[in-house]
Amino acid sequence: MTYKKSDQDQTSASTKVKTTTDLESKLKQLAASVPLSSIGTEDVYVDQAGKVGVMGNYQTVGHPEERKDAREKVTGEAVFGPDVEFPNMLYAAVYHSPYAHARILSYDLEDAKAVEGVVCVLTGKDVPGRFGAFIADQSTLAVDKVRYNGEPVVAIAAETAHAAKEAVQKVKVEYEELEAVTDPYEAMQPGAPLVHDNWSGYAHAADFTGRDGTNLCDYFPLRHGDVEKGFEEADIVVENTYRTAGVNHSTIELHVATAKFDIAKNRLTIWSPTQSPFMIRKQLAGLLGLKQSEVRIVCTYIGGGFGGKYEIKIEPIVAALAMHCQGRAVRLVYNRHEDYLAGCVRGGTVIKIKSACNRDGKMVAQKIENYFDTGAYSTTGPRINYNAGLAAISPYKIPNVWIDGYTVATNRQITSAYRGFGMPEYTFAFENQMDLLADKLGMDPYVFRMKNIYHTGDVSATGEILPEVGLEKCFKAAAQMIGWEKGDWRRHVTEDGKWRAKGMAGGIKLTGTPSSSSVVVRFNDDATVQVSQSGMELGQGAFTVIPQFVAERLGIPYENVSVVPVDTMYTPYEKTTTGSRVTFHVGNAAVRAAEDVIDQLCDLCAIGWEADRESIRFDKGVIFGPMGKKLVVKDIGKTSLMKEQDPILGRGTYSTSDIWDKPDPDTHASKKPTVQWFWAAQACEVEVDPKTGKIRILDYAAAQDVGRAINTMNCVQQVEGAVVMGMSHCMLEELLDDEQGHLLNGNMVDFKVATSQDTDFDIKVALIENPVSDNLYGARGIGEPPVVPPAAAISNAVSRACGGRILSIPLKCEKVLDAVKKGPYRKEAE
Amino acid sequence: MLPEFDLLIPKTLDEALTTLAERGNEIKVVAGGTDVYVSMHGKYQSFPAIMDIKHLQELKEFSFAEGKGAVIGALTTHHTLDRSEIIRAHYPALQEGASQVGSVQIRHRGTIGGNICNAVPSADTLGPLLVLDAKAVTISQQGRREIPLKDFFAGPKRTVIRADELLEKILLPDNESRRSAYIKFTRRNAMDLALLGASASLRVDEDGLARDVRISLTTCAPTPMRALHAEQVLEGKIPSEKLLKEAGLAASREASPRTSWRCTEEYRRENLKAIVPRVIATALARAREGVGIQ
Amino acid sequence: MKHCMITTKVNGKEYVRAIPVNMTLVEFLRDELHLHGTKEGCDEGECGACTILFDGHPFNACLVLAAEADGHDILTIEGMADDDRLHPIQEAFLEAGAVQCGYCTPGMVLSAKAVLDEFPNPTDAQIRTGIEGNICRCTGYNRIVEAIHIAAEKINAAG
């Protein structure tokens, strides 16, 4: 594959920019320290300090085209969930459970109902039915029991937001408090309080693998080889228990939905920043006894998703209120505290892992038990267990791998999809193990990893022959950019007594399979194109890359093509916007739709030119016919070829159920568990203050296999943002409960996310070109993969600097100081 | 979302004091609102009346005179203190405190008076003010009271200010050759509460001995506190690295931090051993060179 | 008083309104004036999504009473562009790739303006401090910092 080199110097450059003269000197500095040629310049594109270049040899694909949504976002015109308003609209508010686990004994709603302006008050019995993606265990409002601090119990609609809030203050509910369980490992022990009494009493979407009478709602086993034999025979064995804290998405846009029930048409309309309009449509229809065509989901721009707006959340509450409010629109916006309580989270994990290698540096065996906290309701938990379980085979070729994933219910906030979908947690564990093994071998951790990474054509631990594995290039690029070969990855002390080291980690993740996408392309007679699809824009650039696919295939300018707003009444089915799937899947469907358009354009030319259809061919935006006849597609408006003919309507679908090899339920062996793997490698340099435990990141390198970037700017944006998000999880974020399961830090002072002052370090980005064969332009997903390695890379560096392994994140200064004081270098810190 | 309340906006100090004398017990005084409104939003808690005192020009004095020192009106914002040449040159610890309150938006609104009257043990201006020998001046219909700031705090979020009083201004003596510094230790690098705060002020006499040593700690006790034992370690001695370390140990011992879900007592004591010597060293360097913040 | 009349200038246009005193400035802008560009993110001054310029000062509008706007000048995101021409800061955000989900963007642009109004040639540190009160979960901030540098160049070039 060739790629167009940019005009600037071929240097590896950071994205941190000062003034123009600073830029130039920075480029020179970096050119001196990290020559690209040793990575393999033909396949590697590197971000050029602020100016993003081109990958590939296409007209629009591979270019950093301006985002389609950026202008309206920068002017404030873009419509987000809370911006939806209607005349005569009602405002909703929710009364949430103050307890983590309690039986509801009685309600006293008289004072709440008496507040002036209150129109409707609902409790659990007013909204019967349960929902859940895998286990239908959740009700719209609590029935009989509350299972987490924050569970919605009473919903109120009123003339003003203030009246609704006043009414919530006046709700009185009597509870009998029950013992709460807040740790997933503890929740698996005999005698632990039961969050749900009877799992099999609920409806299930798939085979239930949990256990009644326990908090286990889903179990994932992966078996490859014989780990026990492996451990017996291996030269070096390391065993540890790692923990990751629960964290909240903290999207700046809160959870919000507006609902309106049209009585005459029996149609419910919901305006919501949802990543999964069709999933929600189906669930709401089932829950409310409506047909799918009677439920309309209109998607507003998503002000931050990361998976937190993937599943049904407050839509059922507003829908229920709207159906009681005589056709008036009802809007519910959670405030920040409510979002922490009743939004969703990435649940904490307890990961027991045993890893073994031989003295020659080859991995022999790895056994992992992961206790995932899915919170009070199962929701996406089983899916996380499954997707992450498959990818927990790690990026390393290990002949004996056993994985046991346990999705465990606790009385904590509900776990939902969150960028990385279980892989940042697993990766933290197994990448720390890799460093520990390397240290015992006395081997460079980079060399150790390179001895074990998967390559194209290797057979994975599920029995799949792995295609297009970009790991080697990713690791080489990351190592180069961080200057690993200098040897200063080893712990060293600065003149002013600070401790430094470098760390690295690989990244592996898959995209959920099977799934399906559909696209309809309307071709106007001025060669502008409207693409109807339901991949949602949550900042990752979906609304930009899909037009790029279509424009490229049709050979018309990018400016001519845009997507229409996503609305289940008009746009065709899309499974969901998660799993880093939109670019690849919707891209494939879009290309097919574009090819359908090309076919129809050729038909029109045959008619217009009175030529044989077989004599018509299309190439790069031009249609050729016999006798020198030619049509430049973008100029079709100057001809009468479309006049009074069949309108051009292109249709394309793409699904992966035919290529998917359903894994064996007991071993999860599969020759094709996913249509697409993601590969990454990252490295960083850190400095630890051994007297306070404060960590400073000095430098960061992220190499991401993008297949081929459809939009290079989008790709760089995703990598940078994901690195910072991963860093924030690793160093700052942690949801804290008291012993009774009450959330202690549900606000933005006490739940800390990274600010601009926490990202004052270079993030060098390399986008590795490694085209995927199943996509016309070779695109691989990118939304999540770069968030998989940061916690592992940073913690590896920090633990190395301290001389002691820290087994949990976040890496709070107390833990770092503790590692220093218990480590071999403690005397130096005195 | 704020609950309902009665809003009073007095145009003159006289009007304000008259109202406070009548019904001060039911009135919450608000300046920048960056503490009060946050609390009211968060707890949906109201007061019968809110008195917005931002129009009172009498609380906006800001002056410095050699030999006399500084007069800082209670309504002086953190942003003003942060940017003030006088504060940077003469009272650098106060600039370091004010410049790290909340975020830039908070600093444009929040006032030093609010920071003092809100009286949280972690407040960023309080440690610096203590080492600068600040005096609070309150005013009521009955007249003024001048209260050394070290006597101003009665407990967490409690001061000695009466319901009929307003905080009028802060007086800082001319520190002459004394210089100061403040270290705010936080988990993240902006918009954070001090997990620990240490301030120091001192001068060096012609024999190189440390004099007029003041050391204060925040988030280490129910109120901001002076570390008197740590001060004694240094007072009248050559401030060697060893001595600074000893002062740190003394401060760590005399502080009374507590364990909460935010942080353990053990860690706070350990951390003090590091940041107290560091803040003394910074103040010392400034004192030796006769400089503040450039 | 529980209600009051205010006369305030928002983006150069004068508004006279009767409002309840417990209405915050962000509620006034969004619900009363239907200017939805200013966002609500936390009601505690911790996210910066509601940042506006009040007589040129960057404030969190969630912590300002609408009543306080009486006699003052407010600038919101809707006032940044000049009819059809984007403000150089907005252009710079587009060029630098500083926009992803866009929810923090209005507040971020206003904070950027406050930085550049005070420091026409800001250093990295001055920029990072100037936007430290605006949380972004998408970009990692570095492109926003770059955008503000680019905006400074554009504004200085225009003279």
Side-chain angles (χ1 to χ4, degrees):
Chain A
M1 304 286 157
T2 55
Y3 76 108
K4 195 159 44 172
K5 296 182 211 259
S6 81
D7 293 337
Q8 293 188 356
D9 219 4
Q10 280 297 301
T11 57
S12 163
S14 78
T15 62
K16 183 180 164 184
V17 169
K18 300 180 184 66
T19 62
T20 318
T21 41
D22 275 344
L23 266 186
E24 283 165 5
S25 71
K26 185 105 191 158
L27 280 172
K28 287 200 177 73
Q29 264 175 40
L30 288 164
S33 67
V34 185
L36 254 195
S37 55
S38 50
I39 311 175
T41 36
E42 285 308 302
D43 301 276
V44 175
Y45 162 79
V46 174
D47 179 26
Q48 308 273 344
K51 288 270 173 281
V52 179
V54 175
M55 182 184 282
N57 219 357
Y58 300 100
Q59 294 301 312
T60 170
V61 159
H63 290 247
E65 304 283 14
E66 185 182 292
R67 295 173 65 110
K68 293 279 184 188
D69 56 340
R71 232 157 248 270
E72 60 185 315
K73 285 174 175 174
V74 106
T75 58
E77 290 168 299
V79 176
F80 293 89
D83 304 328
V84 170
E85 66 177 357
F86 291 99
N88 219 23
M89 185 169 80
L90 293 169
Y91 299 81
V94 171
Y95 164 86
H96 301 271
S97 165
Y99 295 110
H101 200 194
R103 242 185 284 284
I104 299 174
L105 298 176
S106 67
Y107 303 82
D108 179 356
L109 305 171
E110 293 318 303
D111 289 344
K113 287 179 179 165
V115 169
E116 193 183 327
V118 166
V119 167
C120 177
V121 178
L122 299 178
T123 67
K125 63 168 170 46
D126 299 312
V127 198
R130 290 185 180 269
F131 58 88
F134 294 91
I135 304 172
D137 57 1
Q138 199 177 166
S139 51
T140 302
L141 297 168
V143 175
D144 297 334
K145 206 171 134 170
V146 289
R147 294 180 170 87
Y148 68 99
N149 173 210
E151 180 163 3
V153 177
V154 179
I156 298 177
E159 300 287 349
T160 67
H162 283 253
K165 177 115 189 192
E166 281 291 337
V168 162
Q169 304 299 112
K170 297 195 149 77
V171 166
K172 295 193 262 295
V173 178
E174 219 187 305
Y175 300 91
E176 178 199 336
E177 205 178 348
L178 302 169
E179 197 190 338
V181 61
T182 58
D183 175 274
Y185 185 73
E186 294 307 318
M188 282 291 285
Q189 307 312 309
L194 277 191
V195 181
H196 292 264
D197 296 316
N198 183 10
W199 290 115
S200 26
Y202 299 126
H204 294 262
D207 291 333
F208 177 62
T209 59
R211 231 179 287 143
D212 271 334
T214 73
N215 289 312
L216 181 71
C217 70
D218 184 80
Y219 169 61
F220 173 94
L222 189 143
R223 297 286 180 267
H224 176 68
D226 183 343
V227 286
E228 298 308 335
K229 186 154 171 285
F231 291 136
E232 264 172 61
E233 294 174 354
D235 295 327
I236 300 174
V237 179
V238 171
E239 188 171 6
N240 277 306
T241 300
Y242 295 87
R243 284 167 196 274
T244 63
V247 294
N248 178 286
H249 303 65
S250 299
T251 54
I252 309 302
E253 181 197 36
L254 301 156
H255 279 94
V256 53
T258 305
K260 195 168 194 291
F261 185 70
D262 187 323
I263 299 165
K265 293 185 184 133
N266 205 52
R267 183 167 67 217
L268 173 70
T269 308
I270 306 267
W271 289 262
S272 170
T274 174
Q275 296 172 227
S276 313
F278 283 89
M279 196 168 101
I280 294 197
R281 182 178 82 160
K282 186 168 184 177
Q283 285 179 305
L284 278 175
L287 193 63
L288 301 168
L290 297 166
K291 303 194 187 85
Q292 286 188 32
S293 54
E294 290 170 332
V295 178
R296 175 183 176 192
I297 311 291
V298 181
C299 293
T300 49
Y301 271 116
I302 302 178
F306 314 115
K309 292 174 180 153
Y310 145 77
E311 62 183 33
I312 201 165
K313 184 54 56 186
I314 60 176
E315 292 86 355
I317 301 177
V318 277
L321 285 169
M323 290 174 85
H324 282 82
C325 286
Q326 310 300 323
R328 295 175 72 178
V330 181
R331 187 178 79 193
L332 173 62
V333 187
Y334 273 169
N335 67 34
R336 182 58 64 178
H337 183 58
E338 286 179 292
D339 222 72
Y340 278 107
L341 283 175
C344 47
V345 303
R346 189 201 301 279
T349 64
V350 177
I351 302 178
K352 294 177 173 300
I353 179 170
K354 191 168 173 181
S355 322
C357 69
N358 279 334
R359 239 175 284 284
D360 66 353
K362 289 295 195 151
M363 290 294 289
V364 172
Q366 184 147 269
K367 182 173 191 290
I368 315 181
E369 277 171 42
N370 187 345
Y371 299 84
F372 274 112
D373 182 348
T374 199
Y377 294 96
S378 59
T379 62
T380 315
R383 191 67 187 184
I384 299 171
N385 199 11
Y386 171 84
N387 277 17
L390 285 167
I393 60 175
S394 86
Y396 308 106
K397 210 157 70 171
I398 308 175
N400 303 287
V401 177
W402 284 16
I403 296 166
D404 290 288
Y406 300 99
T407 309
V408 187
T410 67
N411 294 113
R412 295 193 82 178
Q413 276 59 44
I414 298 177
T415 286
S416 183
Y418 195 160
R419 203 178 193 181
F421 216 58
M423 283 319 290
E425 300 96 297
Y426 268 121
T427 303
F428 168 64
F430 61 62
E431 287 289 345
N432 268 272
Q433 293 288 93
M434 291 300 280
D435 259 27
L436 285 167
L437 289 171
D439 286 352
K440 284 205 189 283
L441 286 170
M443 199 180 275
D444 177 329
Y446 170 57
V447 171
F448 178 56
R449 284 176 170 82
M450 294 302 265
K451 276 191 193 296
N452 288 287
I453 52 170
Y454 278 123
H455 295 93
T456 302
D458 282 343
V459 178
S460 79
T462 72
E464 178 188 3
I465 300 171
L466 291 171
E468 296 146 358
V469 179
L471 275 174
E472 185 177 356
K473 290 199 181 114
C474 285
F475 267 105
K476 278 187 173 161
Q480 288 265 339
M481 290 191 292
I482 205 74
W484 195 271
E485 76 286 353
K486 288 193 267 180
D488 59 352
W489 55 267
R490 294 184 178 82
R491 177 190 172 272
H492 54 283
V493 183
T494 64
E495 257 175 48
D496 63 343
K498 303 284 197 305
W499 298 1
R500 291 187 179 183
K502 291 179 180 170
M504 65 165 44
I508 180 175
K509 196 191 175 286
L510 52 70
T511 188
T513 304
S515 75
S516 54
S517 303
S518 53
V519 174
V520 171
V521 170
R522 286 174 19 225
F523 188 93
N524 302 320
D525 62 19
D526 61 353
T528 56
V529 167
Q530 287 160 282
V531 180
S532 234
Q533 57 88 56
S534 302
M536 261 313 286
E537 177 60 69
L538 36 84
Q540 88 288 44
F543 283 7
T544 300
V545 296
I546 301 305
Q548 284 183 267
F549 272 102
V550 174
E552 189 69 49
R553 191 67 187 94
L554 291 178
I556 60 176
Y558 168 68
E559 290 66 42
N560 280 29
V561 186
S562 15
V563 295
V564 304
V566 175
D567 178 336
T568 60
M569 178 171 271
Y570 303 110
T571 53
Y573 179 84
E574 186 60 40
K575 180 167 187 182
T576 167
T577 299
T578 51
S580 312
R581 61 179 296 283
V582 167
T583 303
F584 174 78
H585 294 75
V586 182
N588 278 349
V591 164
R592 287 179 181 178
E595 286 169 350
D596 192 10
V597 165
I598 290 169
D599 208 30
Q600 292 169 48
L601 283 167
C602 289
D603 287 347
L604 288 184
C605 286
I607 293 168
W609 297 334
E610 289 174 356
D612 249 348
R613 180 63 178 87
E614 285 75 53
S615 68
I616 311 289
R617 57 178 189 86
F618 169 91
D619 185 39
K620 291 200 182 58
V622 182
I623 296 180
F624 299 93
M627 295 180 329
K629 286 270 205 273
K630 193 168 113 166
L631 167 73
V632 176
V633 169
K634 71 171 167 58
D635 296 331
I636 196 169
K638 299 179 186 148
T639 75
S640 57
L641 284 164
M642 287 180 68
K643 198 163 177 201
E644 305 303 351
Q645 298 299 332
D646 287 352
I648 299 179
L649 199 63
R651 171 191 179 282
T653 60
Y654 179 73
S655 73
T656 51
S657 50
D658 54 340
I659 58 98
W660 179 55
D661 179 24
K662 184 171 176 184
D664 177 284
D666 299 317
T667 65
H668 282 88
S670 164
K671 297 221 182 305
K672 189 87 177 170
T674 178
V675 67
Q676 187 168 92
W677 287 98
F678 306 120
W679 310 107
Q682 296 180 2
C684 66
E685 183 179 12
V686 306
E687 180 181 273
V688 169
D689 182 338
K691 294 200 181 216
T692 64
K694 192 98 196 267
I695 304 166
R696 217 162 57 97
I697 299 186
L698 302 175
D699 202 10
Y700 207 97
Q704 189 65 42
D705 177 342
V706 297
R708 184 174 290 110
I710 303 300
N711 186 309
T712 42
M713 175 61 90
N714 276 16
C715 288
V716 172
Q717 287 178 325
Q718 287 306 293
V719 176
E720 290 174 17
V723 164
V724 169
M725 179 170 261
M727 179 274 286
S728 188
H729 289 167
C730 175
M731 289 173 53
L732 296 169
E733 298 178 29
E734 178 181 38
L735 289 166
L736 292 163
D737 281 9
D738 67 16
E739 271 147 27
Q740 287 81 42
H742 303 119
L743 183 63
L744 291 167
N745 63 339
N747 63 72
M748 290 186 91
V749 180
D750 292 314
F751 183 84
K752 301 177 200 294
V753 303
T755 67
S756 58
Q757 305 271 36
D758 301 291
T759 63
D760 190 10
F761 54 89
D762 283 359
I763 304 176
K764 301 181 178 70
V765 176
L767 305 179
I768 307 293
E769 192 171 357
N770 181 29
V772 162
S773 52
D774 309 350
N775 178 277
L776 183 60
Y777 304 112
R780 209 180 287 274
I782 186 143
E784 295 170 287
V787 89
V788 168
I794 296 169
S795 59
N796 270 340
V798 171
S799 288
R800 186 169 300 285
C802 292
R805 187 73 27 184
I806 301 170
L807 297 176
S808 68
I809 53 170
L811 302 174
K812 287 156 67 163
C813 41
E814 298 93 308
K815 291 183 197 173
V816 177
L817 196 63
D818 205 45
V820 166
K821 285 191 179 305
K822 295 193 170 126
Y825 310 109
R826 57 185 169 280
K827 292 248 178 285
E828 289 179 38
E830 275 157 26
Chain B
M1 188 179 295
L2 296 174
E4 282 187 17
F5 51 83
D6 189 19
L7 181 64
L8 309 166
I9 310 183
K11 292 288 183 288
T12 66
L13 183 59
D14 215 40
E15 193 189 326
L17 295 178
T18 308
T19 311
L20 287 172
E22 284 165 18
R23 42 189 289 231
N25 284 315
E26 354 174 281
I27 293 176
K28 184 72 183 173
V29 171
V30 176
T34 54
D35 287 316
V36 176
Y37 296 140
V38 172
S39 178
M40 287 173 70
H41 274 304
K43 299 181 183 136
Y44 202 61
Q45 149 213 52
S46 192
F47 303 92
I50 301 277
M51 179 187 281
D52 183 336
I53 56 169
K54 286 197 287 296
H55 292 256
L56 304 182
Q57 294 305 318
E58 298 91 331
L59 305 184
K60 295 183 183 176
E61 190 181 346
F62 189 56
S63 64
F64 175 81
E66 296 278 352
K68 285 189 78 183
V71 177
I72 305 175
L75 288 178
T76 307
T77 64
H78 299 298
H79 177 73
T80 301
L81 292 171
D82 174 9
R83 300 288 196 250
S84 157
E85 291 298 325
I86 298 287
I87 302 293
R88 285 168 175 242
H90 297 273
Y91 309 104
L94 183 57
Q95 188 275 343
E96 287 174 319
S99 66
Q100 293 186 79
V101 173
S103 64
V104 68
Q105 293 92 326
I106 298 286
R107 294 193 287 276
H108 277 261
R109 280 279 282 186
T111 63
I112 191 168
N115 209 227
I116 293 168
C117 293
N118 194 45
V120 289
S122 58
D124 290 309
T125 61
L126 304 189
L129 287 172
L130 279 183
V131 301
L132 296 171
D133 290 336
K135 285 207 186 91
V137 179
T138 61
I139 189 164
S140 70
Q141 285 205 314
Q142 296 171 47
R144 289 187 169 84
R145 294 198 288 157
E146 230 177 72
I147 308 163
L149 204 70
K150 63 178 171 57
D151 302 325
F152 197 78
F153 303 104
K157 302 202 77 169
R158 281 187 301 122
T159 67
V160 301
I161 202 167
R162 292 192 316 251
D164 66 327
E165 281 182 308
L166 283 175
L167 178 66
E168 186 190 15
K169 57 197 169 194
I170 300 295
L171 304 175
L172 298 179
D174 183 343
N175 275 346
E176 293 159 352
S177 62
R178 283 173 294 179
R179 287 293 182 278
S180 56
Y182 169 62
I183 289 181
K184 177 178 187 174
F185 186 85
T186 53
R187 290 197 192 279
R188 72 176 177 187
N189 296 336
M191 212 165 34
D192 208 350
L193 297 173
L195 204 60
L196 287 145
S199 313
S201 169
L202 53 97
R203 68 179 170 88
V204 179
D205 72 15
E206 46 290 351
D207 299 318
L209 308 178
R211 294 282 180 201
D212 299 334
V213 180
R214 309 271 188 273
I215 299 171
S216 73
L217 308 173
T218 38
T219 328
C220 288
T223 66
M225 59 174 277
R226 287 263 299 274
L228 298 171
H229 295 153
E231 291 173 5
Q232 276 162 27
V233 167
L234 282 176
E235 185 69 39
K237 310 222 187 47
I238 304 241
S240 63
E241 204 182 305
K242 185 165 172 288
L243 211 61
L244 261 57
K245 201 169 165 183
E246 251 183 68
L249 291 171
S252 173
R253 277 192 301 267
E254 71 184 299
S256 46
R258 57 183 190 118
T259 291
S260 72
W261 56 266
R262 288 193 176 89
C263 193
T264 60
E265 176 191 336
E266 193 197 330
Y267 177 77
R268 294 191 211 255
R269 286 195 194 279
E270 275 308 304
N271 186 290
L272 285 175
K273 293 178 191 170
I275 67 169
V276 168
R278 287 177 189 173
V279 77
I280 298 170
T282 306
L284 192 58
R286 288 176 182 157
R288 282 183 174 138
E289 289 170 54
V291 296
I293 288 167
Q294 257 67 74
Chain C
M1 55 184 171
K2 294 272 172 86
H3 288 81
C4 62
M5 286 293 292
I6 61 167
T7 302
T8 180
K9 236 194 211 156
V10 180
N11 302 328
K13 182 174 163 184
E14 194 176 271
Y15 296 90
V16 181
R17 290 282 195 277
I19 47 134
V21 299
N22 64 334
M23 177 182 266
T24 59
L25 182 59
V26 68
E27 287 172 336
F28 177 73
L29 293 169
R30 291 181 56 82
D31 302 334
E32 184 66 28
L33 300 187
H34 304 285
L35 295 170
H36 293 146
T38 306
K39 306 302 183 195
E40 273 189 282
C42 73
D43 265 356
E44 42 176 323
E46 287 285 330
C47 75
C50 66
T51 304
I52 48 88
L53 297 191
F54 188 106
D55 294 343
H57 292 272
F59 283 176
N60 293 314
C62 64
L63 299 182
V64 178
L65 299 181
E68 295 181 56
D70 187 36
H72 292 276
D73 269 307
I74 314 283
L75 180 67
T76 73
I77 187 70
E78 289 91 345
M80 288 294 292
D82 204 3
D83 278 340
D84 52 348
R85 275 216 62 206
L86 293 180
H87 189 280
I89 295 174
Q90 291 169 309
E91 283 178 359
F93 268 61
L94 296 182
E95 275 174 44
V99 180
Q100 289 187 35
C101 86
Y103 210 71
C104 77
T105 304
M108 198 66 85
V109 168
L110 269 314
S111 286
K113 180 166 198 307
V115 170
L116 294 173
D117 286 347
E118 189 177 2
F119 305 111
N121 286 299
T123 61
D124 255 21
Q126 284 164 340
I127 292 175
R128 284 186 187 274
T129 301
I131 61 169
E132 69 182 13
N134 293 76
I135 302 289
C136 172
R137 288 294 267 167
C138 297
T139 66
Y141 303 103
N142 290 356
R143 276 180 197 280
I144 295 174
V145 173
E146 184 194 336
I148 297 173
H149 279 300
I150 293 173
E153 281 174 29
K154 283 179 188 287
I155 293 170
N156 295 334

